[in-house]
């Protein structure tokens, strides 16, 4: 309850700051909350809204799931085999270091316009996060449990699914939160330049037509959706897993 | 090798060129409880780890009577999988050996009854006390139906009264089951209470200093003087 009140306090602070800036700047730069609310209502009522929402969510969730699979899979291999880690480490650092816009240009050259560049930019941003988290999760696995399993000749898939995987899954869920926020940002940016459908192109179009209230309305919408995914899916999922895997107890 | 279930001959172990164990030999007979005693850090655990196949000896051989003899290992810690229930923790090691799960459920329940934890099958490790977790580890090893049971100071983490209670409990259990046990400890009292034969290690690198056969347990307990004399002999061998 206490943390909820502080969260409300933080959001209220943003709103108060916005109201203050409305007085300082003209509406073409910082529109009032009322006009943004009105624009938001118009967006929600618009016939294209559901198609835009579906297009953006598809790119976000698709990139997220692919990043999860690729990053976690490669992370497991690298965590187990030092040579794989030595090979993949520079690749992941490169993917992480290059700015998203550089990946976007390369993706447009490779795939042309459409959803593919958004996916590529999303993957380049999120795969390294899952990869490095998984490598450290594999390294941090309980060696005593693995040794116990070896002593009792538990090997192969049974060892992997019973001891390795549960330890890794929790770390992947922890990485999910960071990945999702990065994916949101880079995909909105990527689709603004490469697609006709989605929140990114709508936001960019509104900017080109100097519709500041619509720009802010889309920002509010995107932030709300990010909040919804984080607090409605990722956190409950993480908490459920922690309970399921008895991660709060000392049971060894 | 009549009645023998395990024979170690001239085991040596080196880590990075440094020898930690010098030519250790021992024999374990069917139903026998043999103890390895020695000061902390002298290589007792290394011997068990080599027998369990967790480490390879630098030289020497380990012979088991049966080609696919089952070896259970009880560690100093219970080493239970935290996200498994007690029953699942036991089942986890059984299914690796037996593809037919039909007999497993019965074996698990029997093992839980043997360690007096029937009714705790659906508990998670973090819901149990330290002594109960060690008993789950014991049940796991019993359900495995081992030919050789390796015990590495399994009660070291427990307080003294609980440790003595667990030793009494284990003593009765081993008498009933007739499992062959190799028990490692630095505590001569534990060894005196549990073992029929004792191997005393000393020095760095550790070497076998002394071998002793003890009177059957009931006779030992009837002669406290004998217990004290043998314990004294053991301690003198470790320190000489």
């Amino acid at each position: 309850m206490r943390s909820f009140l502080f969260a409300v306090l933080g959001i209220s602070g943003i709103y108060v700051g916005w109201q203050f800036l409305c007085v300082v700047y003209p509406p073409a730069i910082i529109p009032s909350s009322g006009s943004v609310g009105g624009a938001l209502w118009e967006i929600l009522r618009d016939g294209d809204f559901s198609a835009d929402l579906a297009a953006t969510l598809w790119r976000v969730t698709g990139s997220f799931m692919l990043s999860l699979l690729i990053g976690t899979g490669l992370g497991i291999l690298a965590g187990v085999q030092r040579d794989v880690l030595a090979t993949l480490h520079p690749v992941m650092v490169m993917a992480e270091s290059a700015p998203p816009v550089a990946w976007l240009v390369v993706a447009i050259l490779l795939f042309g316009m459409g959803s593919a560049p958004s996916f590529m930019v999303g993957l380049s941003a999120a795969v390294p996060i899952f990869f490095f988290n998984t490598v450290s999760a594999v390294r941090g696995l309980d060696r005593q449990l693995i040794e116990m399993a070896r002593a009792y000749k538990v090997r192969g898939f049974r060892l992997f699914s019973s001891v390795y995987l549960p330890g890794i899954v929790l770390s992947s869920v922890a990485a999910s939160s960071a990945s999702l926020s990065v994916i949101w940002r880079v995909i909105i940016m990527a689709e603004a330049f490469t697609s006709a459908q989605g929140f990114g192109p709508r936001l960019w179009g509104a900017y080109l037509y100097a519709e500041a209230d619509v720009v802010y309305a889309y920002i509010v919408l995107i932030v709300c959706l990010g909040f919804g995914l984080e607090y409605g899916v990722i956190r409950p999922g993480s908490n459920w897993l922690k309970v399921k895997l008895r991660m709060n107890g000392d049971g060894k | 090798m009549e009645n023998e279930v395990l024979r170690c001959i001239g085991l040596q172990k080196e880590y990075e060129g440094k020898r930690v164990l010098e030519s250790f030999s021992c024999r374990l007979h069917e139903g026998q409880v043999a103890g390895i005693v020695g000061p902390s850090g002298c290589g007792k655990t290394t011997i068990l780890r080599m027998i369990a196949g967790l480490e390879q000896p630098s030289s020497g051989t380990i012979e088991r009577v049966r080609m696919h003899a089952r070896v259970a290992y009880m560690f100093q810690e219970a080493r239970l999988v935290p996200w498994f229930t007690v029953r699942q923790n036991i089942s986890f090691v059984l299914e690796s050996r037996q593809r037919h799960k039909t007999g497993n459920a019965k074996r698990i329940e029997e093992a839980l009854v043997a360690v007096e934890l029937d009714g705790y099958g659906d508990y998670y490790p973090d819901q149990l006390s330290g002594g109960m977790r060690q008993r789950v580890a014991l049940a796991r090893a019993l359900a495995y139906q081992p030919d050789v049971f390796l015990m590495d100071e399994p009660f070291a983490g427990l307080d003294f009264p609980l440790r003595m209670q667990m030793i009494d409990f284990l003593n009765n259990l081993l008498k009933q089951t007739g499992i062959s046990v190799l028990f490692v400890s630095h505590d001569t009292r534990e060894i005196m209470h549990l073992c029929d034969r004792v191997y005393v290690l000393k020095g760095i690198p550790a070497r076998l200093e002394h071998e002793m056969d003890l009177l059957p347990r009931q006779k030992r307990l009837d002669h406290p003087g004998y217990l004290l004399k043998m314990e004294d002999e053991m301690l003198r061998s470790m320190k000489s």
Side-chain angles (χ1 to χ4, degrees):
Chain A
M1 188 62 193
R2 191 181 161 85
S3 61
F4 175 74
L5 287 175
F6 275 100
V8 170
L9 185 70
I11 292 168
S12 305
I14 293 170
Y15 184 74
V16 169
W18 182 359
Q19 294 305 307
F20 172 74
L21 291 172
C22 282
V23 178
V24 177
Y25 289 97
I29 296 175
I30 309 276
S32 69
S33 56
S35 67
V36 171
L40 186 59
W41 178 243
E42 287 303 317
I43 290 169
L44 295 174
R45 283 179 55 198
D46 189 79
D48 289 335
F49 171 73
S50 52
D52 288 333
L53 176 68
T56 299
L57 277 183
W58 154 242
R59 289 172 196 135
V60 169
T61 52
S63 301
F64 177 81
M65 293 309 292
L66 274 174
S67 303
L68 174 72
L69 287 174
I70 296 170
T72 306
L74 293 178
I76 291 171
L77 286 176
V80 175
Q81 287 287 334
R82 280 184 182 278
D83 293 343
V84 177
L85 178 63
T87 310
L88 291 178
H89 193 273
V91 177
M92 293 296 166
V93 170
M94 195 185 79
E96 213 173 29
S97 315
V101 73
W103 285 111
L104 182 64
V105 172
V106 173
I108 292 170
L109 291 173
L110 283 172
F111 306 113
M113 307 300 264
S115 288
S118 300
F119 273 93
M120 184 163 161
V121 173
L123 290 177
S124 71
V127 165
I129 298 175
F130 281 114
F131 175 81
F132 288 118
N133 259 277
T134 307
V135 169
S136 70
V138 172
R139 292 277 172 87
L141 282 172
D142 189 338
R143 299 285 141 192
Q144 289 192 336
L145 275 187
I146 294 167
E147 195 176 69
M148 179 277 295
R150 280 178 57 210
Y152 282 98
K153 312 288 181 231
V154 180
R155 293 194 183 100
F157 181 73
R158 186 156 178 77
L159 176 63
F160 177 76
S161 62
S162 301
V163 178
Y164 277 78
L165 201 55
I168 293 164
V169 162
L170 197 66
S171 117
S172 291
V173 172
S176 297
S177 187
S179 303
L180 196 61
S181 72
V182 169
I183 286 174
W184 261 120
R185 280 180 272 153
V186 298
I187 283 194
I188 295 292
M189 183 270 293
E191 66 179 7
F193 296 108
T194 59
S195 303
Q197 196 108 56
F199 291 154
R202 298 284 174 225
L203 194 154
W204 184 241
Y207 165 74
L208 292 177
Y209 286 103
E211 295 171 330
D213 52 348
V214 179
V215 170
Y216 279 80
Y218 271 111
I219 292 172
V220 169
L221 192 60
I222 290 163
V223 168
C224 286
L225 281 171
F227 258 66
L229 279 177
E230 171 68 25
Y231 288 98
V233 180
I234 301 290
R235 291 213 177 184
S238 173
N239 291 337
W240 179 81
L241 266 176
K242 276 184 187 166
V243 172
K244 195 79 183 159
L245 297 178
R246 319 290 293 184
M247 285 301 181
N248 298 321
D250 170 28
K252 288 190 287 176
Chain B
M1 214 157 153
E2 195 184 347
N3 268 341
E4 280 181 12
V5 287
L6 179 77
R7 181 188 279 179
C8 300
I9 305 163
L11 289 186
Q12 288 193 2
K13 183 67 186 174
E14 290 177 7
Y15 290 110
E16 293 166 356
K18 192 181 170 194
R19 187 167 293 176
V20 293
L21 182 69
E22 186 85 57
S23 190
F24 174 82
S25 299
C26 73
R27 291 165 185 206
L28 182 65
H29 292 264
E30 210 174 307
Q32 187 182 45
V33 182
I36 302 176
V37 68
S40 295
C42 77
K44 305 182 293 289
T45 297
T46 306
I47 295 170
L48 292 198
R49 291 174 61 81
M50 288 190 291
I51 295 169
L54 297 175
E55 285 183 37
Q56 290 303 309
S58 303
S59 65
T61 55
I62 297 165
E63 294 171 11
R64 294 172 188 161
V65 171
R66 284 172 55 183
M67 182 70 91
H68 300 291
R70 286 191 296 270
V71 178
Y73 198 142
M74 196 169 165
F75 299 88
Q76 288 182 19
E77 319 79 21
R79 300 197 186 185
L80 304 177
V81 183
W83 44 87
F84 281 173
T85 62
V86 165
R87 197 172 277 115
Q88 287 167 333
N89 262 287
I90 301 172
S91 161
F92 174 60
V93 302
L94 297 188
E95 285 167 19
S96 65
R97 295 206 64 89
Q98 196 172 322
R99 296 207 179 277
H100 307 291
K101 296 181 184 177
T102 43
N104 285 350
K106 190 169 171 246
R107 275 160 67 183
I108 293 167
E109 293 313 316
E110 283 171 358
L112 286 175
V113 169
V115 299
E116 296 175 4
L117 280 179
D118 43 326
Y120 287 90
D122 294 324
Y123 280 57
Y124 284 90
D126 62 356
Q127 295 173 310
L128 305 175
S129 68
M132 289 163 96
R133 283 182 215 162
Q134 280 300 69
R135 276 193 277 157
V136 176
L138 183 56
R140 179 174 63 193
L142 292 175
Y144 195 66
Q145 296 182 332
D147 299 293
V148 177
F149 187 3
L150 307 174
M151 303 182 87
D152 184 8
E153 305 200 49
F155 312 127
L158 307 179
D159 58 43
F160 182 74
L162 187 56
R163 197 158 79 223
M164 295 319 286
Q165 193 186 324
M166 285 295 289
I167 286 167
D168 273 343
F169 177 79
L170 180 63
N171 217 335
N172 292 329
L173 196 65
L174 293 178
K175 216 184 309 178
Q176 288 165 25
T177 53
I179 298 173
S180 312
V181 177
L182 200 50
F183 187 91
V184 152
S185 180
H186 66 273
D187 186 336
T188 50
R189 195 169 301 177
E190 279 183 6
I191 294 282
M192 290 300 298
H193 272 79
L194 278 170
C195 302
D196 310 314
R197 183 173 177 77
V198 185
Y199 296 89
V200 184
L201 293 181
K202 69 160 279 197
I204 300 169
R207 63 175 192 278
L208 183 59
E209 179 69 14
H210 193 40
E211 289 180 46
M212 316 160 54
D213 280 312
L214 302 179
L215 284 175
R217 184 173 184 264
Q218 197 49 52
K219 283 189 182 171
R220 263 181 273 164
L221 295 182
D222 290 344
H223 297 86
Y226 173 80
L227 280 177
L228 286 172
K229 184 179 157 241
M230 297 310 278
E231 195 174 353
D232 185 53
E233 195 178 324
M234 236 184 270
L235 287 168
R236 271 192 286 111
S237 298
M238 282 162 67
K239 287 175 184 167
S240 63

